[in-house]
Amino acid sequence: MNIAFFLLPKDEVAFLKSTSTIRQALEKLEHHRYTAIPVLDEKGRYSETLTEGDLLWTIKNTPGLTFETSHRFSISGIQKDRVIKSVYINAEMEDLLSLIATQNFVPVVDDQGVFIGIVRRSDIIEYCSNQLFAIKGT
């Protein structure tokens, strides 16, 4: 099966630009009720994923950084707790499954590394569940 079947396209996914501020990141995460969000570079390529934990540790450990001053700090300097890997749109399901087991979502890129969307773990679990119940029902 092609992973494009599970793709939530870029225009339906909130993301940050690598030039975003910590305040912008906090507000976007809150607005969309995300716990992690993809970060794209100036050319639209997937760069990394920023998590709530990354933000919280940065706020805790950065002198002078508070919510009130967060608009002065870029997300580019934030140390990431873990690396969220992406897959190419033509990747095999096995590649996707090995990542989705440990990531809430997997960023999907084209052959130039340009971000085109995500695959959510919940969609994979729902699909597998439906397949399992369909087999048991027959």
PDB file of all heavy atoms in Angstrom, residues 14-52:
ATOM      1  N   ALA A  14      -0.894  22.393  10.507  1.00  0.00           N
ATOM      2  CA  ALA A  14      -0.212  23.582  11.032  1.00  0.00           C
ATOM      3  C   ALA A  14       1.275  23.275  11.102  1.00  0.00           C
ATOM      4  O   ALA A  14       1.683  22.156  11.430  1.00  0.00           O
ATOM      5  CB  ALA A  14      -0.747  23.934  12.405  1.00  0.00           C
ATOM      6  N   PHE A  15       2.079  24.272  10.772  1.00  0.00           N
ATOM      7  CA  PHE A  15       3.531  24.115  10.855  1.00  0.00           C
ATOM      8  C   PHE A  15       4.133  25.469  11.184  1.00  0.00           C
ATOM      9  O   PHE A  15       3.467  26.498  11.130  1.00  0.00           O
ATOM     10  CB  PHE A  15       4.107  23.557   9.542  1.00  0.00           C
ATOM     11  CG  PHE A  15       3.801  24.398   8.335  1.00  0.00           C
ATOM     12  CD1 PHE A  15       4.628  25.448   7.971  1.00  0.00           C
ATOM     13  CD2 PHE A  15       2.675  24.141   7.572  1.00  0.00           C
ATOM     14  CE1 PHE A  15       4.342  26.232   6.859  1.00  0.00           C
ATOM     15  CE2 PHE A  15       2.379  24.913   6.453  1.00  0.00           C
ATOM     16  CZ  PHE A  15       3.216  25.963   6.107  1.00  0.00           C
ATOM     17  N   LEU A  16       5.396  25.451  11.544  1.00  0.00           N
ATOM     18  CA  LEU A  16       6.135  26.677  11.842  1.00  0.00           C
ATOM     19  C   LEU A  16       7.230  26.869  10.806  1.00  0.00           C
ATOM     20  O   LEU A  16       7.713  25.898  10.226  1.00  0.00           O
ATOM     21  CB  LEU A  16       6.796  26.581  13.225  1.00  0.00           C
ATOM     22  CG  LEU A  16       5.877  26.513  14.424  1.00  0.00           C
ATOM     23  CD1 LEU A  16       6.672  26.125  15.668  1.00  0.00           C
ATOM     24  CD2 LEU A  16       5.153  27.832  14.630  1.00  0.00           C
ATOM     25  N   LYS A  17       7.618  28.101  10.621  1.00  0.00           N
ATOM     26  CA  LYS A  17       8.807  28.401   9.829  1.00  0.00           C
ATOM     27  C   LYS A  17       9.986  28.438  10.783  1.00  0.00           C
ATOM     28  O   LYS A  17       9.839  28.762  11.964  1.00  0.00           O
ATOM     29  CB  LYS A  17       8.642  29.737   9.117  1.00  0.00           C
ATOM     30  CG  LYS A  17       7.540  29.718   8.090  1.00  0.00           C
ATOM     31  CD  LYS A  17       7.398  31.051   7.413  1.00  0.00           C
ATOM     32  CE  LYS A  17       6.271  31.000   6.399  1.00  0.00           C
ATOM     33  NZ  LYS A  17       6.027  32.296   5.789  1.00  0.00           N
ATOM     34  N   SER A  18      11.163  28.133  10.293  1.00  0.00           N
ATOM     35  CA  SER A  18      12.358  28.099  11.148  1.00  0.00           C
ATOM     36  C   SER A  18      12.674  29.474  11.735  1.00  0.00           C
ATOM     37  O   SER A  18      13.420  29.571  12.706  1.00  0.00           O
ATOM     38  CB  SER A  18      13.558  27.543  10.383  1.00  0.00           C
ATOM     39  OG  SER A  18      13.793  28.309   9.218  1.00  0.00           O
ATOM     40  N   THR A  19      12.086  30.523  11.179  1.00  0.00           N
ATOM     41  CA  THR A  19      12.294  31.889  11.682  1.00  0.00           C
ATOM     42  C   THR A  19      11.256  32.295  12.720  1.00  0.00           C
ATOM     43  O   THR A  19      11.281  33.428  13.210  1.00  0.00           O
ATOM     44  CB  THR A  19      12.249  32.894  10.519  1.00  0.00           C
ATOM     45  OG1 THR A  19      10.992  32.748   9.836  1.00  0.00           O
ATOM     46  CG2 THR A  19      13.397  32.667   9.550  1.00  0.00           C
ATOM     47  N   SER A  20      10.357  31.390  13.075  1.00  0.00           N
ATOM     48  CA  SER A  20       9.297  31.703  14.040  1.00  0.00           C
ATOM     49  C   SER A  20       9.870  31.972  15.419  1.00  0.00           C
ATOM     50  O   SER A  20      10.957  31.495  15.773  1.00  0.00           O
ATOM     51  CB  SER A  20       8.302  30.544  14.138  1.00  0.00           C
ATOM     52  OG  SER A  20       7.663  30.316  12.913  1.00  0.00           O
ATOM     53  N   THR A  21       9.106  32.707  16.215  1.00  0.00           N
ATOM     54  CA  THR A  21       9.494  32.975  17.595  1.00  0.00           C
ATOM     55  C   THR A  21       8.882  31.927  18.519  1.00  0.00           C
ATOM     56  O   THR A  21       7.947  31.203  18.136  1.00  0.00           O
ATOM     57  CB  THR A  21       9.024  34.365  18.054  1.00  0.00           C
ATOM     58  OG1 THR A  21       7.582  34.372  18.106  1.00  0.00           O
ATOM     59  CG2 THR A  21       9.534  35.464  17.141  1.00  0.00           C
ATOM     60  N   ILE A  22       9.402  31.893  19.719  1.00  0.00           N
ATOM     61  CA  ILE A  22       8.851  30.974  20.717  1.00  0.00           C
ATOM     62  C   ILE A  22       7.393  31.318  20.991  1.00  0.00           C
ATOM     63  O   ILE A  22       6.552  30.431  21.130  1.00  0.00           O
ATOM     64  CB  ILE A  22       9.719  30.986  21.990  1.00  0.00           C
ATOM     65  CG1 ILE A  22      11.052  30.292  21.691  1.00  0.00           C
ATOM     66  CG2 ILE A  22       8.998  30.327  23.161  1.00  0.00           C
ATOM     67  CD1 ILE A  22      12.051  30.272  22.818  1.00  0.00           C
ATOM     68  N   ARG A  23       7.051  32.595  21.040  1.00  0.00           N
ATOM     69  CA  ARG A  23       5.657  33.001  21.255  1.00  0.00           C
ATOM     70  C   ARG A  23       4.763  32.465  20.150  1.00  0.00           C
ATOM     71  O   ARG A  23       3.687  31.939  20.396  1.00  0.00           O
ATOM     72  CB  ARG A  23       5.581  34.513  21.343  1.00  0.00           C
ATOM     73  CG  ARG A  23       4.183  35.158  21.300  1.00  0.00           C
ATOM     74  CD  ARG A  23       3.280  34.924  22.465  1.00  0.00           C
ATOM     75  NE  ARG A  23       3.433  35.555  23.725  1.00  0.00           N
ATOM     76  CZ  ARG A  23       3.505  36.828  24.060  1.00  0.00           C
ATOM     77  NH1 ARG A  23       3.595  37.771  23.166  1.00  0.00           N
ATOM     78  NH2 ARG A  23       3.515  37.203  25.299  1.00  0.00           N
ATOM     79  N   GLN A  24       5.196  32.583  18.902  1.00  0.00           N
ATOM     80  CA  GLN A  24       4.407  32.060  17.784  1.00  0.00           C
ATOM     81  C   GLN A  24       4.219  30.551  17.899  1.00  0.00           C
ATOM     82  O   GLN A  24       3.138  30.033  17.624  1.00  0.00           O
ATOM     83  CB  GLN A  24       5.079  32.414  16.451  1.00  0.00           C
ATOM     84  CG  GLN A  24       5.015  33.887  16.128  1.00  0.00           C
ATOM     85  CD  GLN A  24       5.907  34.269  14.957  1.00  0.00           C
ATOM     86  OE1 GLN A  24       7.007  33.727  14.793  1.00  0.00           O
ATOM     87  NE2 GLN A  24       5.450  35.215  14.149  1.00  0.00           N
ATOM     88  N   ALA A  25       5.267  29.866  18.316  1.00  0.00           N
ATOM     89  CA  ALA A  25       5.184  28.411  18.482  1.00  0.00           C
ATOM     90  C   ALA A  25       4.179  28.054  19.568  1.00  0.00           C
ATOM     91  O   ALA A  25       3.322  27.179  19.373  1.00  0.00           O
ATOM     92  CB  ALA A  25       6.558  27.837  18.817  1.00  0.00           C
ATOM     93  N   LEU A  26       4.267  28.725  20.704  1.00  0.00           N
ATOM     94  CA  LEU A  26       3.341  28.455  21.800  1.00  0.00           C
ATOM     95  C   LEU A  26       1.900  28.710  21.383  1.00  0.00           C
ATOM     96  O   LEU A  26       1.000  27.906  21.672  1.00  0.00           O
ATOM     97  CB  LEU A  26       3.691  29.321  23.011  1.00  0.00           C
ATOM     98  CG  LEU A  26       4.989  28.977  23.737  1.00  0.00           C
ATOM     99  CD1 LEU A  26       5.380  30.101  24.693  1.00  0.00           C
ATOM    100  CD2 LEU A  26       4.844  27.658  24.471  1.00  0.00           C
ATOM    101  N   GLU A  27       1.678  29.815  20.702  1.00  0.00           N
ATOM    102  CA  GLU A  27       0.315  30.158  20.288  1.00  0.00           C
ATOM    103  C   GLU A  27      -0.235  29.179  19.252  1.00  0.00           C
ATOM    104  O   GLU A  27      -1.402  28.804  19.310  1.00  0.00           O
ATOM    105  CB  GLU A  27       0.274  31.597  19.777  1.00  0.00           C
ATOM    106  CG  GLU A  27       0.452  32.599  20.903  1.00  0.00           C
ATOM    107  CD  GLU A  27       0.557  34.047  20.452  1.00  0.00           C
ATOM    108  OE1 GLU A  27       0.699  34.300  19.231  1.00  0.00           O
ATOM    109  OE2 GLU A  27       0.508  34.927  21.333  1.00  0.00           O
ATOM    110  N   LYS A  28       0.604  28.749  18.327  1.00  0.00           N
ATOM    111  CA  LYS A  28       0.133  27.813  17.304  1.00  0.00           C
ATOM    112  C   LYS A  28      -0.150  26.445  17.921  1.00  0.00           C
ATOM    113  O   LYS A  28      -1.163  25.810  17.600  1.00  0.00           O
ATOM    114  CB  LYS A  28       1.150  27.690  16.163  1.00  0.00           C
ATOM    115  CG  LYS A  28       0.537  27.020  14.934  1.00  0.00           C
ATOM    116  CD  LYS A  28       1.367  27.216  13.705  1.00  0.00           C
ATOM    117  CE  LYS A  28       1.000  28.532  13.055  1.00  0.00           C
ATOM    118  NZ  LYS A  28       1.428  28.594  11.646  1.00  0.00           N
ATOM    119  N   LEU A  29       0.720  25.987  18.810  1.00  0.00           N
ATOM    120  CA  LEU A  29       0.474  24.713  19.484  1.00  0.00           C
ATOM    121  C   LEU A  29      -0.824  24.774  20.286  1.00  0.00           C
ATOM    122  O   LEU A  29      -1.633  23.835  20.253  1.00  0.00           O
ATOM    123  CB  LEU A  29       1.641  24.353  20.415  1.00  0.00           C
ATOM    124  CG  LEU A  29       2.905  23.844  19.735  1.00  0.00           C
ATOM    125  CD1 LEU A  29       4.057  23.798  20.724  1.00  0.00           C
ATOM    126  CD2 LEU A  29       2.684  22.475  19.120  1.00  0.00           C
ATOM    127  N   GLU A  30      -1.034  25.869  20.994  1.00  0.00           N
ATOM    128  CA  GLU A  30      -2.252  26.014  21.787  1.00  0.00           C
ATOM    129  C   GLU A  30      -3.489  26.063  20.890  1.00  0.00           C
ATOM    130  O   GLU A  30      -4.477  25.375  21.142  1.00  0.00           O
ATOM    131  CB  GLU A  30      -2.187  27.283  22.640  1.00  0.00           C
ATOM    132  CG  GLU A  30      -3.448  27.499  23.461  1.00  0.00           C
ATOM    133  CD  GLU A  30      -3.438  28.793  24.237  1.00  0.00           C
ATOM    134  OE1 GLU A  30      -2.834  29.786  23.787  1.00  0.00           O
ATOM    135  OE2 GLU A  30      -4.067  28.819  25.311  1.00  0.00           O
ATOM    136  N   HIS A  31      -3.435  26.868  19.856  1.00  0.00           N
ATOM    137  CA  HIS A  31      -4.589  27.039  18.969  1.00  0.00           C
ATOM    138  C   HIS A  31      -5.020  25.722  18.328  1.00  0.00           C
ATOM    139  O   HIS A  31      -6.207  25.413  18.243  1.00  0.00           O
ATOM    140  CB  HIS A  31      -4.278  28.082  17.889  1.00  0.00           C
ATOM    141  CG  HIS A  31      -5.386  28.241  16.899  1.00  0.00           C
ATOM    142  ND1 HIS A  31      -6.526  28.961  17.189  1.00  0.00           N
ATOM    143  CD2 HIS A  31      -5.542  27.772  15.641  1.00  0.00           C
ATOM    144  CE1 HIS A  31      -7.343  28.917  16.141  1.00  0.00           C
ATOM    145  NE2 HIS A  31      -6.758  28.207  15.184  1.00  0.00           N
ATOM    146  N   HIS A  32      -4.055  24.935  17.880  1.00  0.00           N
ATOM    147  CA  HIS A  32      -4.359  23.678  17.194  1.00  0.00           C
ATOM    148  C   HIS A  32      -4.413  22.488  18.148  1.00  0.00           C
ATOM    149  O   HIS A  32      -4.721  21.374  17.713  1.00  0.00           O
ATOM    150  CB  HIS A  32      -3.339  23.419  16.084  1.00  0.00           C
ATOM    151  CG  HIS A  32      -3.449  24.411  14.976  1.00  0.00           C
ATOM    152  ND1 HIS A  32      -4.410  24.343  14.000  1.00  0.00           N
ATOM    153  CD2 HIS A  32      -2.729  25.531  14.707  1.00  0.00           C
ATOM    154  CE1 HIS A  32      -4.277  25.347  13.165  1.00  0.00           C
ATOM    155  NE2 HIS A  32      -3.256  26.086  13.566  1.00  0.00           N
ATOM    156  N   ARG A  33      -4.089  22.730  19.407  1.00  0.00           N
ATOM    157  CA  ARG A  33      -4.074  21.681  20.432  1.00  0.00           C
ATOM    158  C   ARG A  33      -3.109  20.552  20.054  1.00  0.00           C
ATOM    159  O   ARG A  33      -3.379  19.368  20.247  1.00  0.00           O
ATOM    160  CB  ARG A  33      -5.483  21.176  20.715  1.00  0.00           C
ATOM    161  CG  ARG A  33      -6.423  22.298  21.130  1.00  0.00           C
ATOM    162  CD  ARG A  33      -7.762  21.859  21.601  1.00  0.00           C
ATOM    163  NE  ARG A  33      -7.755  20.938  22.710  1.00  0.00           N
ATOM    164  CZ  ARG A  33      -7.585  21.248  24.003  1.00  0.00           C
ATOM    165  NH1 ARG A  33      -7.402  22.494  24.355  1.00  0.00           N
ATOM    166  NH2 ARG A  33      -7.625  20.328  24.938  1.00  0.00           N
ATOM    167  N   TYR A  34      -1.958  20.945  19.518  1.00  0.00           N
ATOM    168  CA  TYR A  34      -0.891  20.016  19.156  1.00  0.00           C
ATOM    169  C   TYR A  34       0.079  19.882  20.330  1.00  0.00           C
ATOM    170  O   TYR A  34       0.222  20.798  21.126  1.00  0.00           O
ATOM    171  CB  TYR A  34      -0.079  20.535  17.971  1.00  0.00           C
ATOM    172  CG  TYR A  34      -0.725  20.472  16.610  1.00  0.00           C
ATOM    173  CD1 TYR A  34      -0.043  20.945  15.503  1.00  0.00           C
ATOM    174  CD2 TYR A  34      -1.983  19.943  16.390  1.00  0.00           C
ATOM    175  CE1 TYR A  34      -0.594  20.906  14.227  1.00  0.00           C
ATOM    176  CE2 TYR A  34      -2.542  19.895  15.130  1.00  0.00           C
ATOM    177  CZ  TYR A  34      -1.840  20.378  14.054  1.00  0.00           C
ATOM    178  OH  TYR A  34      -2.370  20.331  12.804  1.00  0.00           O
ATOM    179  N   THR A  35       0.764  18.769  20.375  1.00  0.00           N
ATOM    180  CA  THR A  35       1.864  18.600  21.332  1.00  0.00           C
ATOM    181  C   THR A  35       3.213  18.660  20.621  1.00  0.00           C
ATOM    182  O   THR A  35       4.245  18.729  21.268  1.00  0.00           O
ATOM    183  CB  THR A  35       1.753  17.267  22.091  1.00  0.00           C
ATOM    184  OG1 THR A  35       1.752  16.200  21.151  1.00  0.00           O
ATOM    185  CG2 THR A  35       0.471  17.222  22.926  1.00  0.00           C
ATOM    186  N   ALA A  36       3.168  18.620  19.290  1.00  0.00           N
ATOM    187  CA  ALA A  36       4.376  18.718  18.468  1.00  0.00           C
ATOM    188  C   ALA A  36       3.971  19.302  17.123  1.00  0.00           C
ATOM    189  O   ALA A  36       2.826  19.130  16.685  1.00  0.00           O
ATOM    190  CB  ALA A  36       5.015  17.343  18.284  1.00  0.00           C
ATOM    191  N   ILE A  37       4.936  19.980  16.481  1.00  0.00           N
ATOM    192  CA  ILE A  37       4.616  20.659  15.230  1.00  0.00           C
ATOM    193  C   ILE A  37       5.833  20.644  14.297  1.00  0.00           C
ATOM    194  O   ILE A  37       6.960  20.853  14.749  1.00  0.00           O
ATOM    195  CB  ILE A  37       4.131  22.098  15.514  1.00  0.00           C
ATOM    196  CG1 ILE A  37       3.551  22.753  14.279  1.00  0.00           C
ATOM    197  CG2 ILE A  37       5.213  22.932  16.159  1.00  0.00           C
ATOM    198  CD1 ILE A  37       2.753  24.019  14.584  1.00  0.00           C
ATOM    199  N   PRO A  38       5.616  20.375  13.011  1.00  0.00           N
ATOM    200  CA  PRO A  38       6.735  20.392  12.071  1.00  0.00           C
ATOM    201  C   PRO A  38       7.277  21.812  11.877  1.00  0.00           C
ATOM    202  O   PRO A  38       6.533  22.786  11.935  1.00  0.00           O
ATOM    203  CB  PRO A  38       6.121  19.884  10.759  1.00  0.00           C
ATOM    204  CG  PRO A  38       4.787  19.338  11.093  1.00  0.00           C
ATOM    205  CD  PRO A  38       4.367  19.969  12.362  1.00  0.00           C
ATOM    206  N   VAL A  39       8.574  21.887  11.627  1.00  0.00           N
ATOM    207  CA  VAL A  39       9.244  23.160  11.350  1.00  0.00           C
ATOM    208  C   VAL A  39       9.831  23.059   9.935  1.00  0.00           C
ATOM    209  O   VAL A  39      10.513  22.086   9.614  1.00  0.00           O
ATOM    210  CB  VAL A  39      10.363  23.449  12.371  1.00  0.00           C
ATOM    211  CG1 VAL A  39      11.077  24.754  12.037  1.00  0.00           C
ATOM    212  CG2 VAL A  39       9.792  23.489  13.792  1.00  0.00           C
ATOM    213  N   LEU A  40       9.561  24.094   9.123  1.00  0.00           N
ATOM    214  CA  LEU A  40      10.030  24.116   7.743  1.00  0.00           C
ATOM    215  C   LEU A  40      11.037  25.234   7.557  1.00  0.00           C
ATOM    216  O   LEU A  40      10.925  26.294   8.182  1.00  0.00           O
ATOM    217  CB  LEU A  40       8.861  24.345   6.780  1.00  0.00           C
ATOM    218  CG  LEU A  40       7.632  23.451   6.962  1.00  0.00           C
ATOM    219  CD1 LEU A  40       6.607  23.747   5.879  1.00  0.00           C
ATOM    220  CD2 LEU A  40       8.011  21.987   6.969  1.00  0.00           C
ATOM    221  N   ASP A  41      12.010  25.011   6.675  1.00  0.00           N
ATOM    222  CA  ASP A  41      12.988  26.064   6.382  1.00  0.00           C
ATOM    223  C   ASP A  41      12.406  27.047   5.375  1.00  0.00           C
ATOM    224  O   ASP A  41      11.243  26.914   4.949  1.00  0.00           O
ATOM    225  CB  ASP A  41      14.333  25.470   5.929  1.00  0.00           C
ATOM    226  CG  ASP A  41      14.296  24.835   4.554  1.00  0.00           C
ATOM    227  OD1 ASP A  41      13.309  25.002   3.800  1.00  0.00           O
ATOM    228  OD2 ASP A  41      15.278  24.160   4.207  1.00  0.00           O
ATOM    229  N   GLU A  42      13.208  28.004   4.956  1.00  0.00           N
ATOM    230  CA  GLU A  42      12.736  29.075   4.063  1.00  0.00           C
ATOM    231  C   GLU A  42      12.324  28.563   2.683  1.00  0.00           C
ATOM    232  O   GLU A  42      11.606  29.236   1.952  1.00  0.00           O
ATOM    233  CB  GLU A  42      13.792  30.178   3.924  1.00  0.00           C
ATOM    234  CG  GLU A  42      15.067  29.762   3.222  1.00  0.00           C
ATOM    235  CD  GLU A  42      16.052  28.951   4.063  1.00  0.00           C
ATOM    236  OE1 GLU A  42      15.902  28.905   5.304  1.00  0.00           O
ATOM    237  OE2 GLU A  42      16.966  28.346   3.478  1.00  0.00           O
ATOM    238  N   LYS A  43      12.752  27.346   2.326  1.00  0.00           N
ATOM    239  CA  LYS A  43      12.384  26.774   1.027  1.00  0.00           C
ATOM    240  C   LYS A  43      11.244  25.764   1.138  1.00  0.00           C
ATOM    241  O   LYS A  43      10.925  25.081   0.168  1.00  0.00           O
ATOM    242  CB  LYS A  43      13.594  26.123   0.371  1.00  0.00           C
ATOM    243  CG  LYS A  43      14.666  27.141  -0.005  1.00  0.00           C
ATOM    244  CD  LYS A  43      15.817  26.495  -0.717  1.00  0.00           C
ATOM    245  CE  LYS A  43      16.842  27.561  -1.090  1.00  0.00           C
ATOM    246  NZ  LYS A  43      18.001  26.991  -1.739  1.00  0.00           N
ATOM    247  N   GLY A  44      10.656  25.658   2.328  1.00  0.00           N
ATOM    248  CA  GLY A  44       9.540  24.744   2.529  1.00  0.00           C
ATOM    249  C   GLY A  44       9.941  23.311   2.794  1.00  0.00           C
ATOM    250  O   GLY A  44       9.105  22.413   2.809  1.00  0.00           O
ATOM    251  N   ARG A  45      11.246  23.094   3.032  1.00  0.00           N
ATOM    252  CA  ARG A  45      11.720  21.740   3.330  1.00  0.00           C
ATOM    253  C   ARG A  45      11.515  21.445   4.818  1.00  0.00           C
ATOM    254  O   ARG A  45      11.665  22.319   5.663  1.00  0.00           O
ATOM    255  CB  ARG A  45      13.198  21.597   2.975  1.00  0.00           C
ATOM    256  CG  ARG A  45      13.474  21.716   1.486  1.00  0.00           C
ATOM    257  CD  ARG A  45      14.945  21.624   1.218  1.00  0.00           C
ATOM    258  NE  ARG A  45      15.630  22.693   1.940  1.00  0.00           N
ATOM    259  CZ  ARG A  45      16.584  23.451   1.457  1.00  0.00           C
ATOM    260  NH1 ARG A  45      17.018  23.254   0.242  1.00  0.00           N
ATOM    261  NH2 ARG A  45      17.128  24.395   2.173  1.00  0.00           N
ATOM    262  N   TYR A  46      11.206  20.180   5.099  1.00  0.00           N
ATOM    263  CA  TYR A  46      11.074  19.761   6.497  1.00  0.00           C
ATOM    264  C   TYR A  46      12.429  19.872   7.169  1.00  0.00           C
ATOM    265  O   TYR A  46      13.430  19.380   6.663  1.00  0.00           O
ATOM    266  CB  TYR A  46      10.564  18.316   6.579  1.00  0.00           C
ATOM    267  CG  TYR A  46      10.581  17.779   7.987  1.00  0.00           C
ATOM    268  CD1 TYR A  46       9.686  18.240   8.935  1.00  0.00           C
ATOM    269  CD2 TYR A  46      11.513  16.834   8.372  1.00  0.00           C
ATOM    270  CE1 TYR A  46       9.713  17.764  10.238  1.00  0.00           C
ATOM    271  CE2 TYR A  46      11.549  16.342   9.662  1.00  0.00           C
ATOM    272  CZ  TYR A  46      10.642  16.812  10.594  1.00  0.00           C
ATOM    273  OH  TYR A  46      10.688  16.341  11.881  1.00  0.00           O
ATOM    274  N   SER A  47      12.454  20.540   8.317  1.00  0.00           N
ATOM    275  CA  SER A  47      13.690  20.758   9.041  1.00  0.00           C
ATOM    276  C   SER A  47      13.758  19.907  10.312  1.00  0.00           C
ATOM    277  O   SER A  47      14.738  19.218  10.555  1.00  0.00           O
ATOM    278  CB  SER A  47      13.800  22.241   9.384  1.00  0.00           C
ATOM    279  OG  SER A  47      14.876  22.498  10.223  1.00  0.00           O
ATOM    280  N   GLU A  48      12.692  19.988  11.096  1.00  0.00           N
ATOM    281  CA  GLU A  48      12.646  19.293  12.387  1.00  0.00           C
ATOM    282  C   GLU A  48      11.238  19.376  12.938  1.00  0.00           C
ATOM    283  O   GLU A  48      10.361  19.987  12.325  1.00  0.00           O
ATOM    284  CB  GLU A  48      13.626  19.945  13.359  1.00  0.00           C
ATOM    285  CG  GLU A  48      13.311  21.412  13.626  1.00  0.00           C
ATOM    286  CD  GLU A  48      14.427  22.140  14.356  1.00  0.00           C
ATOM    287  OE1 GLU A  48      15.423  21.505  14.717  1.00  0.00           O
ATOM    288  OE2 GLU A  48      14.284  23.345  14.577  1.00  0.00           O
ATOM    289  N   THR A  49      11.039  18.772  14.092  1.00  0.00           N
ATOM    290  CA  THR A  49       9.767  18.873  14.799  1.00  0.00           C
ATOM    291  C   THR A  49      10.036  19.460  16.162  1.00  0.00           C
ATOM    292  O   THR A  49      10.985  19.060  16.854  1.00  0.00           O
ATOM    293  CB  THR A  49       9.100  17.493  14.919  1.00  0.00           C
ATOM    294  OG1 THR A  49       8.742  17.049  13.603  1.00  0.00           O
ATOM    295  CG2 THR A  49       7.850  17.550  15.774  1.00  0.00           C
ATOM    296  N   LEU A  50       9.216  20.416  16.543  1.00  0.00           N
ATOM    297  CA  LEU A  50       9.307  21.080  17.837  1.00  0.00           C
ATOM    298  C   LEU A  50       8.204  20.534  18.731  1.00  0.00           C
ATOM    299  O   LEU A  50       7.049  20.453  18.311  1.00  0.00           O
ATOM    300  CB  LEU A  50       9.140  22.589  17.652  1.00  0.00           C
ATOM    301  CG  LEU A  50       9.273  23.453  18.892  1.00  0.00           C
ATOM    302  CD1 LEU A  50      10.706  23.414  19.420  1.00  0.00           C
ATOM    303  CD2 LEU A  50       8.858  24.881  18.576  1.00  0.00           C
ATOM    304  N   THR A  51       8.560  20.154  19.962  1.00  0.00           N
ATOM    305  CA  THR A  51       7.571  19.601  20.890  1.00  0.00           C
ATOM    306  C   THR A  51       7.323  20.545  22.054  1.00  0.00           C
ATOM    307  O   THR A  51       8.123  21.444  22.331  1.00  0.00           O
ATOM    308  CB  THR A  51       8.040  18.245  21.463  1.00  0.00           C
ATOM    309  OG1 THR A  51       9.164  18.470  22.329  1.00  0.00           O
ATOM    310  CG2 THR A  51       8.399  17.254  20.371  1.00  0.00           C
ATOM    311  N   GLU A  52       6.213  20.314  22.752  1.00  0.00           N
ATOM    312  CA  GLU A  52       5.920  21.078  23.960  1.00  0.00           C
ATOM    313  C   GLU A  52       7.057  20.948  24.960  1.00  0.00           C
ATOM    314  O   GLU A  52       7.448  21.909  25.603  1.00  0.00           O
ATOM    315  CB  GLU A  52       4.634  20.568  24.619  1.00  0.00           C
ATOM    316  CG  GLU A  52       3.379  20.958  23.940  1.00  0.00           C
ATOM    317  CD  GLU A  52       2.154  20.401  24.652  1.00  0.00           C
ATOM    318  OE1 GLU A  52       2.228  19.286  25.235  1.00  0.00           O
ATOM    319  OE2 GLU A  52       1.119  21.084  24.636  1.00  0.00           O
TER     320      GLU A  52
END
